[in-house]
Amino acid sequence: GENVEQHPSTLSVQEGDSAVIKCTYSDSASNYFPWYKQELGKRPQLIIDIRSNVGEKKDQRIAVTLNKTAKHFSLHITETQPEDSAVYFCAASMNQAGTALIFGKGTTLSVSS
Amino acid sequence: DSGVTQTPKHLITATGQRVTLRCSPRSGDLSVYWYQQSLDQGLQFLIQYYNGEERAKGNILERFSAQQFPDLHSELNLSSLELGDSALYFCASSVGTENIQYFGAGTRLSVL
């Protein structure tokens, strides 16, 4: 089955710096890669996703890149703000209805002002 | 608000007991997924239903079971509870054509 590794487990940056979180997956059949942000005590919220027919996707300060050959995908946050502090999870699955998401173990991002 | 409703928000019970967690998916979503989140294991997929039928199983214990009803709400039943079952249990739902999953607020289970 699919296995997703996520690094680093914790990341501390200064406000305004960039943050990068990396994930690798094992199943070459996976073609949907979402990223979720979870604030303390809250639900995971989808912040961006990418499908395997796309190499990069941007949404304001957030971008995701995918290297399908290497089975790597990364989340890039630019101009970080204190409200970006949260746990970020990457996941992988088939892009079809009814397929479980396999999550990485999460990265705790702390942005200090 | 994701549109996915979970009840109750908190549940405190004793070892050996049985509890039922409830999830109502977003309007129109046919797939319901259950995930367990514990401190050391992250978000782990338990089980998934599509339009009333079990579609996939993950790391779900035999003491746990689930079902999806004709109105598409789902229930997760946890029995013979152990201390290690204490966790956040999330339900997610997705529409029938893609796998974008929206999570409910979760049920925090504490087994004492």
Side-chain angles (χ1 to χ4, degrees), chain B residues 32-50:
Chain B
V32 169
Y33 313 78
W34 288 96
Y35 294 89
Q36 179 192 56
Q37 185 174 39
S38 55
L39 281 174
D40 58 342
Q41 292 295 322
L43 276 159
Q44 293 228 310
F45 168 65
L46 295 178
I47 196 165
Q48 182 241 328
Y49 279 81
Y50 177 80

Side-chain angles (χ1 to χ4, degrees), chain B residues 42-101:
Chain B
L43 276 159
Q44 293 228 310
F45 168 65
L46 295 178
I47 196 165
Q48 182 241 328
Y49 279 81
Y50 177 80
N51 202 21
E53 294 189 1
E54 182 184 303
R55 180 63 65 92
K57 266 187 175 179
N59 299 321
I60 188 166
L61 300 171
E62 286 193 9
R63 301 182 285 109
F64 296 0
S65 65
Q67 57 185 128
Q68 187 179 27
F69 294 86
D71 67 353
L72 300 178
H73 90 271
S74 178
E75 293 181 357
L76 179 67
N77 301 296
L78 315 176
S79 61
S80 303
L81 286 167
E82 301 175 359
L83 295 177
D85 297 327
S86 296
L88 262 172
Y89 291 84
F90 286 104
C91 165
S93 71
S94 69
V95 76
T97 53
E98 289 188 336
N99 200 24
I100 299 174
Q101 296 184 22

Side-chain angles (χ1 to χ4, degrees), chain B residues 18-32:
Chain B
R18 173 189 169 95
V19 297
T20 298
L21 283 53
R22 183 188 169 103
C23 169
S24 294
R26 296 186 322 151
S27 178
D29 284 0
L30 299 178
S31 283
V32 169

